[in-house]
Amino acid sequence: MDLAYLRAHPEHLPTFLTHQRIRETPVPGGDICAASRLTLDDGHSVFAKSWPETASRPVPADFFAAEAAGLRWLRDAGAVAVPEVLVAMPELLALDWVETGEPTPEAAERFGRELAGTHRAGAPEFGAEWPGFIGALPQDNTPDPGPWSGWFARTRLAPYLAMSVRNGALTAAETAPVEELIGRVGEFGGDEPPARIHGDLWPGNLLWGADDQVWLVDPAAHGGHRETDLAQLALFGGPPHLDRILAAYDEAWPLADGWRERVPLHQLHLLLVHTALFGAAYREAVGAAARAALRGAGRATVDR
């Protein structure tokens, strides 16, 4: 099997893998899927990911189809580099391989400008035309005209707060400020028309390529707020040269007044996803982000 054959017959990839007709090398990666590098007969490499399915943990319907749709949609913007989807099947996803390199200030600045271009490509509404996932969790992508603030509270905060309370990850001390934010999110300003966002843009979902480009991978793509992507970038220590990324972005498409104060509000979505998925290890981060968001709005009513 070479790349031309794979493009013409993507449905044959599982058979070739089952019969070990393709060299497969495991790749370290995320917590949800198994990943590998496939080497084709023409020397071309492909990145493949699959869901380690068991009787108690079946692959969710449309899981890889949703990721493929998001990757294609981001790639269609013609701005940030996004790997080509080669195979999208219920049990696996295969993408063109990206050779990694070292982060450079020049690549960071280019990425900031290109991310602004991707966001500017926009979306018809908040949400998307395909089912949503964030990690292994479902995410409501029902198209919604907005405004952003109410949509964000209903679909990106409240569901994951409820999951995190049910699994015991959050106590009343963390839940109360999040509930206050959900009730008052419309007071924070910053409403904008929907942007074309990655939706899960923590630093681990950037690939710094050997071609001196930054590539987007593992999206939860949808029409959302551009500040969400930028806020998520700053989580977990941030990527190299974050200041260069943000400066180049702001030069290409200036951000609205007050965006820095809204960073914790936007980060809260992904932090709540983490408490919903992984439990109490992220409890303190949720509480800190909620309190910071309230302080940033100048209306904090919850004691630290």
Side-chain angles (χ1 to χ4, degrees):
M1 176 179 278
D2 58 18
L3 183 60
Y5 185 94
L6 179 61
R7 284 198 170 110
H9 305 283
E11 72 279 4
H12 291 177
L13 181 58
T15 301
F16 275 75
L17 289 173
T18 298
H19 295 286
Q20 299 181 338
R21 297 285 301 277
I22 298 175
R23 191 171 75 191
E24 185 174 7
T25 308
V27 173
D31 303 296
I32 297 165
C33 292
S36 58
R37 180 175 184 167
L38 310 181
T39 304
L40 306 182
D41 290 341
D42 59 1
H44 198 95
S45 289
V46 172
F47 174 82
K49 61 194 297 188
S50 59
W51 182 281
E53 190 168 4
T54 64
S56 61
R57 191 174 178 266
V59 58
D62 299 318
F63 182 78
F64 288 120
E67 183 172 343
L71 287 164
R72 290 171 175 138
W73 189 59
L74 294 171
R75 185 177 170 92
D76 285 348
V80 180
V82 179
E84 179 187 357
V85 176
L86 300 173
V87 180
M89 302 183 71
E91 67 273 23
L92 67 84
L93 183 70
L95 313 174
D96 205 13
W97 180 264
V98 176
E99 202 64 51
T100 57
E102 293 299 317
T104 67
E106 295 76 18
E109 291 177 2
R110 177 179 177 178
F111 172 64
R113 293 189 295 269
E114 291 175 342
L115 184 61
T118 296
H119 288 167
R120 272 190 184 276
E125 293 184 287
F126 294 102
E129 296 177 357
W130 51 86
F133 290 90
I134 181 98
L137 297 177
Q139 181 163 265
D140 185 0
N141 268 357
T142 304
D144 191 305
W148 167 79
S149 53
W151 169 85
F152 186 72
R154 288 191 306 275
T155 69
R156 297 303 186 256
L157 297 182
Y160 304 105
L161 174 63
M163 292 180 198
S164 301
V165 171
R166 284 198 300 271
N167 71 9
L170 300 181
T171 68
E174 297 84 35
T175 302
V178 177
E179 288 177 335
E180 181 177 355
L181 283 170
I182 289 171
R184 297 173 52 191
V185 69
E187 302 174 18
F188 286 71
D191 275 308
E192 291 186 351
R196 186 171 304 207
I197 73 169
H198 178 283
D200 189 10
L201 199 58
W202 70 286
N205 284 340
L206 300 185
L207 283 183
W208 297 79
D211 55 2
D212 215 28
Q213 292 189 96
V214 178
W215 295 70
L216 296 182
V217 296
D218 292 343
H222 61 276
H225 201 303
R226 60 192 180 122
E227 290 177 13
T228 300
D229 270 357
L230 297 175
Q232 290 175 349
L233 267 182
L235 283 169
F236 313 127
H241 314 299
L242 177 60
D243 57 337
R244 297 286 194 98
I245 294 171
L246 295 176
Y249 184 104
D250 194 46
E251 183 178 340
W253 188 11
L255 290 155
D257 291 344
W259 73 269
R260 292 185 186 277
E261 288 70 29
R262 289 187 292 273
V263 165
L265 173 64
H266 287 275
Q267 290 178 337
L268 197 54
H269 168 227
L270 198 54
L271 292 172
L272 286 169
V273 168
H274 276 66
T275 50
L277 272 172
F278 305 118
Y282 293 91
R283 173 184 293 167
E284 291 186 7
V286 165
R291 293 189 293 269
L294 289 167
R295 287 197 303 272
R299 306 183 190 93
T301 60
V302 180
D303 289 337
R304 185 168 181 173

